[in-house]
Amino acid sequence: MPYLLRVELPDVPGSLGRLASAIGMSGGDIEAIEIVEKRHGDGIAVDDVLLEMAPNAMPDSIVSACNALDGVQVVWISRYAAGGNLFLDLEAVEELTADPEGSLNRLVDLLPVTFRADWGARVSKIDGVVHATAAAPSELAWQQIERAELIESDDENAIVAAARLNKSEIVVIGRRGGPEFLDSELARLGHLVGLAMSISRTANKATAH
């Protein structure tokens, strides 16, 4: 099974090459890299790195090698159950437009792999959980929110974010243990939820006519 590494590194030429070399020397084979966030004021980039491990290679050795580089800090490393590759926002939008009428539920299905989370759910103010991925909690409470944000969870080991879908529904995603949802990820979540809602409304109008 591949691993997902989230790392902070200096946003300067050559940083990514040094990181890749350190990972390779420690027994990791990089499959894909995605920029999660750029903190221009601090000169820092946050990247997600999908990698395979060589036989007998240990995640701890990769973490140590990365942290030994100047200005580099490993935020998180864990097994990545989705496998294959990193799923990008554009691919999610293409999936949603392929089935406009089912776009809201399809959005929930896509959120865990798009955001490297463990589960996603659609929660109604009246009916509770109306659609969820397999690992989602069976009970989730609707909350009044206006934009994508972090919300409290009954599970102290879970990091949970939510975005408003419409007046009576929200979309919720959760990670067990980490990493934290960054501001850039919350912005992306809000954007994707907004797109899914627009696609769904357009489909409903077309059906009505």
Side-chain angles (χ1 to χ4, degrees):
M1 183 181 292
Y3 280 80
L4 182 69
L5 176 78
R6 174 163 291 187
V7 60
E8 296 179 353
L9 67 162
D11 189 16
V12 296
S15 285
L16 197 55
R18 289 190 291 273
L19 178 70
S21 295
I23 290 173
M25 293 292 289
S26 303
D29 182 17
I30 296 176
E31 299 288 329
I33 297 176
E34 181 184 6
I35 298 171
V36 180
E37 185 172 80
K38 284 199 173 189
R39 300 170 185 164
H40 296 290
D42 299 324
I44 292 174
V46 182
D47 291 356
D48 277 351
V49 182
L50 181 66
L51 54 90
E52 292 279 359
M53 303 290 291
N56 301 319
M58 300 296 292
D60 289 351
S61 64
I62 289 180
V63 171
S64 297
C66 292
N67 285 338
L69 299 172
D70 285 344
V72 174
Q73 179 66 46
V74 172
V75 178
W76 180 260
I77 188 169
S78 65
R79 291 185 179 273
Y80 185 56
N85 209 326
L86 298 180
F87 198 82
L88 305 180
D89 293 13
L90 181 59
E91 295 172 283
V93 173
E94 289 175 349
E95 290 265 353
L96 297 178
T97 55
D99 179 19
E101 293 181 1
S103 58
L104 300 186
N105 285 343
R106 185 62 182 141
L107 170 71
V108 171
D109 296 336
L110 293 171
L111 285 177
V113 67
T114 306
F115 287 89
R116 271 74 77 190
D118 293 294
W119 53 266
R122 180 180 169 190
V123 183
S124 165
K125 183 178 182 179
I126 299 172
D127 301 317
V129 177
V130 294
H131 186 79
T133 59
S138 57
E139 294 185 9
L140 288 166
W142 178 89
Q143 298 187 35
Q144 177 68 51
I145 57 174
E146 295 302 323
R147 56 183 177 80
E149 60 186 65
L150 295 172
I151 62 173
E152 295 292 329
S153 171
D154 293 334
D155 182 355
E156 61 182 16
N157 293 318
I159 298 171
V160 182
R164 178 179 172 177
L165 194 58
N166 51 50
K167 290 182 179 180
S168 61
E169 291 185 327
I170 60 174
V171 168
V172 185
I173 57 175
R175 290 173 176 158
R176 292 194 180 89
E180 293 280 351
F181 287 101
L182 302 178
D183 289 344
S184 60
E185 292 179 294
L186 294 176
R188 287 171 49 214
L189 174 62
H191 182 61
L192 273 179
V193 170
L195 284 174
M197 199 63 216
S198 295
I199 292 169
S200 177
R201 286 197 191 102
T202 301
N204 289 337
K205 287 180 182 178
T207 302
H209 291 299

